[in-house]
Amino acid sequence: CTPPSCAPDLPAIRALRARSRMPVVVLETLGGEATEMRGQSRSRKVRMLREYLTSAPGQRWRHVVYSDAMDVLANPGNAAAVVAAAAGGALLVAGEPACWVGDVCDAEEVAEMRRRAPAHFSRGGGYDRPAVFLNSGQYAGSRAAVLAFLDYAVATLDAMEARRGALPPDLAALFSGRRAALAAAGGFRCSDQCVLTAYWMTHVDRVAVDVDARIFGSLKRFFVLDDDDRGARAP
């Protein structure tokens, strides 16, 4: 996990390390420098994790569970349960009822997601479940599955920086014209959750959303603010 939500001396992290059946690693640096994710720097975490997993210490792990926030909880279980849930090579991602990509999704964007992933959004497949949209606060998978997403994420963020925030073509095709115009004008920043949503929609077979909270549970499963739920409620 990454700061400021995570730090080695926090009581929650000490308790997690004492109780967890899995090794816990706190990431605090990027490029050899101490760093945090705050505000618009939140997408920095994908660079931090990719740097760690490609380092000598990070290369020892065959499976990875990533967490960066306090609004997503890990359900009781063990490493075998996580590995089994992420079997088949997919990246297993926590779910939540609201669609959020750095801003609340609009109806046009949700409709495009439903078109791209019809099996996921079909009745019985996920759309009638409470955690249908992904939450980038926690995900798990094999080392290869996690790195595949991180490689895509870093390349996408680099492309947006080169375009001064404008969405690259694959994201512009996924999101509404209104959002593309906002991004080009500097009024929208694609968050790490935005990039993960784009990865999901462009690689549907590589991502599985934990719609039934078998492994992860979001606090939004228990309470959702009205203004933050438009992505799920809009026609």
Side-chain angles (χ1 to χ4, degrees), residues 68-127:
D68 80 330
M70 299 300 185
D71 64 340
V72 182
L73 313 174
N75 283 345
N78 53 41
V82 175
V83 171
L91 183 71
L92 180 68
V93 183
E96 64 183 23
C99 182
W100 179 265
V101 292
D103 190 7
V104 178
C105 304
D106 61 32
E108 181 182 343
E109 291 165 339
V110 174
E112 179 64 13
M113 291 178 197
R114 294 182 70 179
R115 185 189 71 80
R116 293 182 181 221
H120 173 80
F121 288 100
S122 65
R123 292 290 171 182
Y127 195 62

Side-chain angles (χ1 to χ4, degrees), residues 184-197:
F188 170 73
R189 293 286 297 272
C190 191
S191 67
D192 58 287
Q193 188 152 307
C194 169
V195 173
L196 181 53
T197 299

Side-chain angles (χ1 to χ4, degrees), residues 123-161:
R123 292 290 171 182
Y127 195 62
D128 57 341
R129 311 240 179 112
V132 64
F133 298 103
L134 56 73
N135 182 313
S136 63
Q138 281 189 332
Y139 50 84
S142 67
R143 173 189 175 79
V146 173
L147 279 173
F149 160 61
L150 296 175
D151 287 344
Y152 171 89
V154 170
T156 299
L157 291 170
D158 286 347
M160 284 190 286
E161 287 183 6

Side-chain angles (χ1 to χ4, degrees), residues 139-217:
Y139 50 84
S142 67
R143 173 189 175 79
V146 173
L147 279 173
F149 160 61
L150 296 175
D151 287 344
Y152 171 89
V154 170
T156 299
L157 291 170
D158 286 347
M160 284 190 286
E161 287 183 6
R163 297 164 62 92
R164 298 186 178 179
L167 300 179
D170 60 335
L171 269 72
L174 171 61
F175 296 120
S176 65
R178 176 190 67 85
R179 194 174 304 282
L182 278 174
F188 170 73
R189 293 286 297 272
C190 191
S191 67
D192 58 287
Q193 188 152 307
C194 169
V195 173
L196 181 53
T197 299
Y199 179 71
W200 176 30
M201 288 293 105
T202 54
H203 303 81
V204 175
D205 59 332
R206 297 188 190 178
V207 177
V209 182
D210 189 21
V211 294
D212 290 319
R214 290 181 300 155
I215 300 298
F216 306 122

